[in-house]
Amino acid sequence: MTPSPEVPAAEAPYRIDPAGGCPHAVNARLRAHGAVAPVVLPGDVPGMLVLGHDALKEFLAHPDVAKDARHFTALTEGRIPDGWPLRTFATVRGMTTADGADHQRLRSLVGRAFTARRVEALRPRVEELTDELLDGVAEEAAAHGVVELRKRFALPLPMRVICELFGVDEEFRTRLHHLSSQVVSTRTRPEDAVAANKEMVAVLAQVAAARERDPGDDLTSALLAAREADGDRLAQEELIGTLILFVIAGHETTLNLITNAVRALCGHRDQLALVRAGEASWEDVVEETLRWDSPVSYFPFRYPTRDLTVDGTLIPQGTLVLAGYSGAGRDTAAHGPDADRFDILRPARRRHLSLGHGPHYCLGASLARLEATVALERLFTRFPDLDLAVPDGELPAHAGFVGNSVRELPVRPGRDAGHR
């Protein structure tokens, strides 16, 4: 069977394209058959996709749904090869694959760094980095007219913030982004996936070793100190797994969020005008972008610990399940008949699930919101005429179905209004 965007029969699993692409048309067709859809992942691995808003909200918070891969039947029975591109999502040891008290233990070690007060204290540094990057955008625009904004702005901002927060020296950052892109891409060849996972573990072990030799005021040093104080609290594998989680999620998600918000505003100038007129806020833009074009499309993995019926569909115990955030965001049952419309004045715009729900709600949600809000406000203030240099429909899609965005974002910044 080949990947197809055609409407699947109600009983026929949808074969997910490992190359990714815009998910919204497929989501609409799958939702027409129900809030839960059978799917086949790369490597002929069967699973389920929950993509209705209410069904996903129920599923994410259900007490009989686990993240620990020991509940993944196909894996425990040896039917998942080592080179499977998505295997890291299931097997990495850390917060995203832990349940119950173990999850709470790991979450508590880093949670204090992501309180609203501590995140707000990062605002001056985020603003400083944003302005530095926009100076570079201005220089490139003056020289060439067109700037690849994803590479020059949307990527380095969250990457620098998360790396500074975790004490990742600059020498490691470019390599870590390259490796994380391979890890989250669902079209990576098996041998490349294995190599990327091994190298990421090795690089992050170097990061941990550097902080062990030279501790600083960063989270990696704090995690190492916690391990020294109580050696049973954080094993080496858990430390590396925690770093993998935050380095990948801490920049890839916000990178997509900023990229998608810029695309949305350039394609909906009326919405941008509302912000400029003071009728809406940049926070409204961020929340509506999260709903309308979620930075994460189909997130791996959860497993029912017993046979579970969700919105009338049976999900057998041990089944691999994807969280369909991009599908839930445009569910007309939750967001109204105009759910496909980008509307920053939409009522209950924080009702989306794009940052998760339940015990695994995104720990870095406040930081992602801060970074995106500052980035968009300063970008469109400094470059009020900024627009896409290529029609949105011609931009190359993100490589894989986990993330939801485009690979490139060429823009014409136009006149530089300078610093405020």
Side-chain angles (χ1 to χ4, degrees), residues 20-260:
C22 180
H24 299 301
V26 168
N27 286 336
R29 288 189 279 266
L30 291 173
R31 277 198 313 268
H33 291 288
V36 182
V39 294
V40 177
L41 283 77
D44 290 327
V45 176
M48 302 291 277
L49 170 65
V50 182
L51 72 167
H53 179 278
D54 291 346
L56 182 57
K57 187 174 182 179
E58 174 193 351
F59 184 77
L60 293 175
H62 202 287
D64 296 318
V65 172
K67 294 277 280 180
D68 192 324
R70 66 188 177 88
H71 299 286
F72 179 13
T73 300
L75 182 69
T76 59
E77 292 180 352
R79 291 186 275 122
I80 303 297
D82 289 343
W84 190 49
L86 293 163
R87 190 180 175 105
T88 296
F89 286 100
T91 59
V92 64
R93 285 192 64 189
M95 199 181 309
T96 57
T97 55
D99 298 310
D102 200 30
H103 171 249
Q104 286 299 320
R105 172 179 62 88
L106 293 168
R107 194 175 176 97
S108 68
L109 289 172
V110 292
R112 65 179 69 94
F114 291 96
T115 63
R117 180 179 61 82
R118 285 182 176 267
V119 168
E120 185 59 31
L122 293 172
R123 181 179 293 273
R125 181 55 178 156
V126 173
E127 292 174 341
E128 180 183 17
L129 290 173
T130 299
D131 289 337
E132 287 179 13
L133 292 168
L134 290 179
D135 287 343
V137 170
E139 291 174 6
E140 187 164 336
H144 305 290
V146 174
V147 178
E148 210 292 80
L149 199 69
R150 187 172 168 91
K151 177 180 178 182
R152 293 300 303 267
F153 180 65
L155 163 63
L157 176 61
M159 188 67 176
R160 288 173 68 175
V161 171
I162 201 67
C163 285
E164 288 185 8
L165 194 59
F166 277 85
V168 178
D169 294 332
E170 193 164 350
E171 64 183 291
F172 300 116
R173 296 176 189 177
T174 300
R175 190 61 188 161
L176 283 172
H177 170 65
H178 172 73
L179 292 169
S180 68
S181 297
Q182 288 187 292
V183 169
V184 300
S185 174
T186 52
R187 65 178 188 180
T188 303
R189 295 183 304 172
E191 60 270 27
D192 293 336
V194 172
N197 286 322
K198 287 182 178 178
E199 187 175 352
M200 175 163 272
V201 168
V203 171
L204 290 172
Q206 288 181 269
V207 170
R211 294 287 68 80
E212 198 157 21
R213 291 191 304 269
D214 183 21
D217 184 20
D218 59 81
L219 277 176
T220 301
S221 297
L223 291 170
L224 287 164
R227 185 173 67 178
E228 290 299 316
D230 183 354
D232 292 333
R233 293 199 74 202
L234 190 70
Q236 176 71 5
E237 280 187 323
E238 290 175 328
L239 171 63
I240 299 302
T242 299
L243 293 178
I244 288 174
L245 163 65
F246 280 97
V247 168
I248 293 178
H251 86 279
E252 290 280 354
T253 303
T254 309
L255 161 62
N256 290 347
L257 172 57
I258 294 171
T259 299
N260 292 355

